[in-house]
Amino acid sequence: MDISGKIIQFLQVQSGQGKNGTWKKQEFILETGDNYPKKVCIAVWGDKIDMGSFKTGDLVDVSFDVESREYNGRWYTDVKAWKMVPKNGGGGAGAPAANNANFNTMPGSFEASAAGDDDLPF
């Protein structure tokens, strides 16, 4: 899925220990430019988080996956970015989003390879 909008806030980098080792997550808030703007919290996962090339106010196009998981009878939904590029005339260079990032030859973008367990069933 894709969404376009303006970065309005960066949240603190989070990290921790999981069953597969250390993890890091950077979240940011994107506001759409629709007639009725929506705010969406989007996460970028990985060991090499470098969102420093983007700043508040940048217009970006974000490709993402949505995933929900159940824990103790409650459902939690994540919006995980796997590609982010500045819109024409805005923003800086992109950054890798995950451990096994595939860098495009086009400057100002990043794309992470999808993990096998995140495949959608359709």
Side-chain angles (χ1 to χ4, degrees), residues 22-82:
T22 303
W23 57 268
K24 290 184 183 180
K25 175 174 78 166
Q26 169 75 63
E27 293 178 313
F28 64 97
I29 310 301
L30 187 82
E31 183 176 59
T32 64
D34 301 330
N35 288 336
Y36 301 101
K38 305 281 189 262
K39 294 178 182 163
V40 181
C41 181
I42 301 174
V44 177
W45 287 84
D47 286 340
K48 297 180 181 180
I49 296 175
D50 181 14
M51 295 297 288
S53 56
F54 292 100
K55 62 186 182 309
T56 302
D58 284 350
L59 298 175
V60 294
D61 292 322
V62 180
S63 297
F64 63 94
D65 292 324
V66 177
E67 181 180 4
S68 296
R69 296 173 192 237
E70 184 269 336
Y71 179 73
N72 289 338
R74 293 200 54 183
W75 284 89
Y76 300 89
T77 301
D78 287 325
V79 178
K80 298 178 184 179
W82 54 269

Side-chain angles (χ1 to χ4, degrees), residues 13 95 111:
V13 175
E111 184 170 342

Side-chain angles (χ1 to χ4, degrees), residues 2-19:
D2 296 310
I3 191 169
S4 296
K6 178 172 65 172
I7 298 172
I8 60 169
Q9 182 182 2
F10 287 97
L11 303 180
Q12 297 243 347
V13 175
Q14 300 174 29
S15 64
Q17 277 298 119
K19 65 181 179 180

